[in-house]
Amino acid sequence: MRLSFAILVLVFKATLATRPTPPPRGGGLLRNRFRKPKTPAPSPGSLTHVSNILDPNAHPSIAAHTNSHQMSPTTLILNILADLCPHGMLPLSYALASSHMGGPVGGGTAAAILIMFGGLGLYSMVSIARVVENFGSDKTKVDCSLSGAWDDVFSPGRVSASFKHRTVGAVTCDSLCFGLTVGCCLFYSAFIADIYASLARAFALPGILSKRWAILVALSTIVVMPLCLLEDLAALQTSSMVGLSGIVFTVGVVIKRAFDGSYTPKGTFFPSMAAPLQAAIPPSPLRPLISLGKSSTSATTNFATVCCVAFACHYNSVKYYMELESRSVKKFTATMAKGFGATAAVFLSMMIFGYLTFGQNSQALLLNNYGAGDVLATLARFLTGIAILSGYPLMFAGLKSSGFSLFKITTKSAGSSKRRKLSVKRKQVVFSVGVLAIITLMACFITEEDLGLVIGVVGAVMGSSVVYIIPAILNVRVLGRGRKNLQFFRGERKCNFLLGAFGVGLAIVGTKVNMASGGNHH
């Protein structure tokens, strides 16, 4: 309850902060990106009206924010919660269950591993801010790109606006960020399909209205795509606040159901559960959590890859730093520590109490475990669905930013020619709609086991690369050549060699283990 109250206070403070007050202020993903820029309205049906929103350099909600587009620490904390919680909190009970394939991982051990990954993610976020503060070029500070930060460190002064002049490292950064955001959008779409299909069954909707694939196609076409193509994201302000409140409510529901015994064999909702989910529910839900045993490497690796992607928001690291008002590395560190701390508290609650309720039958989307007749769980599904729908365009913005750069369809690559710029914008429209269509099609047929595999592989390869390997390489380079004054602590450069090796090992072993298990923990 203290956790829920604390997050509600943050939401309330951010809501007050978003009230229009003279003079107007800017602010980040949840506040200033909702404020419509004062630009002449394009003519109805104009392609520019549609395509400008697809260029991360054409709109302040996607491009870097100047001093007039800043956010308070409270807003940044809420941005972290909104960025990480919708996709990170739902699979953790499943991850804990999957860790029992080779032997049980005790609750304390699992919590320690989760906190460790949160700490590593926090460190790498802050270290990227240090790179930008000390070595960031004007271009990087405008584009807010991780690949730009790479070029600033390894090729300072080199022009990299067009694809043919970019370094291999910068292209690799864009490729990994693109792969990570595509993977995250894929299980965002799968979560949307499962959540709203469950709601459709709860309300006994007839025929095709209750089909998972039909619901996903409809929501992707009617809701997700328009949100991803919005020029002004002000419409998301209210829904984002509702989504954050929904996260708090969902955590409360999971905790309540863990203690009230509703899903034990003698509980109220046990008969409403799907038959395959009833078999592994133990008489005492505490038993599987507190039992300690020797964990195998494969079991721990499965759990680690999910923890890795749960704390992955580093594709927005430069953006977050540039948008913080009166920014400094010290202030950013304190703010990120609070954001990651609050996120870790949400993750721990969902992981532990979800597993206490369902044990080995915990699903990759935890809300799928709850019965259709559970009113509180139904409301939690609805609110969590709003949180995911609101977060989708923010995630997709990162996908577009890296994708446009990777496939050489940025407006900067078109030069000053208006004709070439219009051609690039058309390609951006086709690219964005096409990628979303492919993601939607794949999500229509993805199963719980497939979803577990996607989360594991994305976490192993893309997550470990973006969260650990790239920041470690940057830090090793930055802290060399007598720059010990930039260290956060003594011996930091040597520790980054270990961090990079850890990321490489997690990528290799994690991919092998997840491919071998096929995402199935039963």
Side-chain angles (χ1 to χ4, degrees):
M1 295 304 295
R2 290 182 180 178
L3 168 64
S4 299
F5 178 76
I7 298 179
L8 284 173
V9 169
L10 288 174
V11 173
F12 178 71
K13 288 173 67 178
T15 303
L16 292 179
T18 57
R19 286 183 172 180
T21 58
R25 297 175 61 190
L29 301 174
L30 287 177
R31 185 174 69 191
N32 293 337
R33 73 166 35 194
F34 302 124
R35 207 178 293 279
K36 188 174 182 179
K38 295 181 180 180
T39 54
S43 59
S46 169
L47 179 62
T48 303
H49 176 72
V50 176
S51 58
N52 276 349
I53 62 183
L54 297 174
D55 182 7
N57 301 310
H59 194 273
S61 67
I62 301 176
H65 292 267
T66 63
N67 288 334
S68 62
H69 293 279
Q70 297 179 332
M71 57 181 162
S72 68
T74 298
T75 304
L76 180 52
I77 292 170
L78 291 176
N79 286 335
I80 294 297
L81 286 164
D83 203 347
L84 295 177
C85 287
H87 74 273
M89 69 182 189
L90 296 174
L92 285 169
S93 295
Y94 163 86
L96 183 57
S98 71
S99 71
H100 285 254
M101 287 190 300
V105 175
T109 305
I113 293 174
L114 181 65
I115 293 172
M116 180 196 74
F117 275 91
L120 292 176
L122 170 62
Y123 167 74
S124 57
M125 283 282 287
V126 173
S127 68
I128 293 172
R130 176 179 58 191
V131 170
V132 176
E133 178 64 26
N134 291 281
F135 300 93
S137 65
D138 290 338
K139 179 183 181 301
T140 297
K141 293 180 178 180
V142 168
D143 291 345
C144 285
S145 63
L146 188 58
S147 60
W150 179 281
D151 274 346
D152 290 339
V153 171
F154 287 95
S155 303
R158 180 171 181 173
V159 178
S160 58
S162 64
F163 184 85
K164 62 183 179 181
H165 294 299
R166 303 183 67 218
T167 65
V168 174
V171 174
T172 302
C173 286
D174 279 334
S175 300
L176 292 169
C177 287
F178 180 71
L180 178 60
T181 50
V182 166
C184 289
C185 285
L186 178 58
F187 51 80
Y188 262 43
S189 291
F191 287 170
I192 289 171
D194 286 341
I195 287 172
Y196 285 98
S198 296
L199 289 173
R201 290 192 296 270
F203 289 99
L205 296 182
I208 197 172
L209 296 178
S210 62
K211 298 293 185 181
R212 182 182 181 276
W213 67 268
I215 292 172
L216 177 58
V217 170
L219 287 174
S220 297
T221 304
I222 299 171
V223 181
V224 175
M225 185 169 67
L227 289 178
C228 290
L229 302 183
L230 274 177
E231 179 180 6
D232 178 17
L233 298 181
L236 294 179
Q237 182 177 11
T238 301
S239 61
S240 293
M241 290 301 175
V242 173
L244 286 171
S245 300
I247 290 170
V248 178
F249 181 82
T250 300
V251 171
V253 170
V254 171
I255 293 174
K256 175 177 171 57
R257 292 305 184 219
F259 283 103
D260 66 13
S262 300
Y263 287 89
T264 58
K266 296 181 180 180
T268 304
F269 299 111
F270 188 80
S272 66
M273 297 173 65
L277 302 183
Q278 295 179 345
I281 300 293
S284 172
L286 290 175
R287 193 187 319 176
L289 185 67
I290 62 176
S291 62
L292 298 176
K294 184 177 180 181
S295 175
S296 70
T297 301
S298 62
T300 305
T301 302
N302 270 338
F303 182 74
T305 55
V306 177
C307 291
C308 174
V309 76
F311 285 104
C313 61
H314 296 61
Y315 40 82
N316 281 329
S317 55
V318 180
K319 181 193 299 293
Y320 283 145
Y321 180 66
M322 293 304 300
E323 289 182 343
L324 181 62
E325 64 183 11
S326 303
R327 65 180 179 270
S328 68
V329 175
K330 182 177 180 180
K331 185 176 183 179
F332 186 75
T333 300
T335 304
M336 286 290 102
K338 294 175 183 177
F340 271 69
T343 301
V346 171
F347 287 173
L348 286 170
S349 299
M350 293 291 289
M351 177 184 74
I352 292 174
F353 293 105
Y355 186 73
L356 284 176
T357 308
F358 299 107
Q360 288 299 107
N361 277 331
S362 298
Q363 299 297 295
L365 174 56
L366 180 62
L367 295 177
N368 281 351
N369 281 100
Y370 293 90
D374 189 341
V375 177
L376 289 179
T378 299
L379 182 56
R381 289 189 185 98
F382 175 74
L383 294 175
T384 302
I386 291 178
I388 295 175
L389 288 172
S390 299
Y392 206 117
L394 308 182
M395 178 71 71
F396 202 80
L399 183 155
K400 291 187 293 185
S401 179
S402 57
F404 293 167
S405 177
L406 181 63
F407 293 100
K408 198 173 55 175
I409 50 175
T410 62
T411 53
K412 288 185 178 181
S413 65
S416 58
S417 170
K418 292 183 178 179
R419 183 175 181 179
R420 290 178 63 187
K421 285 184 177 180
L422 185 59
S423 175
V424 167
K425 290 176 180 178
R426 289 195 184 103
K427 291 177 182 178
Q428 290 175 348
V429 173
V430 174
F431 176 84
S432 299
V433 174
V435 170
L436 181 60
I438 293 172
I439 290 172
T440 301
L441 180 63
M442 293 175 64
C444 282
F445 303 100
I446 201 168
T447 64
E448 286 285 346
E449 288 74 17
D450 295 332
L451 186 57
L453 179 61
V454 170
I455 294 172
V457 173
V458 167
V461 180
M462 309 300 178
S464 61
S465 297
V466 174
V467 179
Y468 309 124
I469 300 174
I470 292 175
I473 295 174
L474 290 174
N475 289 331
V476 168
R477 178 78 169 189
V478 164
L479 296 176
R481 299 178 182 176
R483 299 192 184 107
K484 292 185 178 180
N485 60 306
L486 296 178
Q487 290 186 144
F488 291 139
F489 53 88
R490 180 178 296 181
E492 183 182 356
R493 189 169 186 264
K494 293 180 180 179
C495 289
N496 274 276
F497 282 105
L498 297 177
L499 179 63
F502 172 76
V504 172
L506 181 61
I508 296 174
V509 178
T511 301
K512 181 179 179 180
V513 168
N514 279 280
M515 294 298 292
S517 65
N520 188 4
H521 69 269
H522 300 296

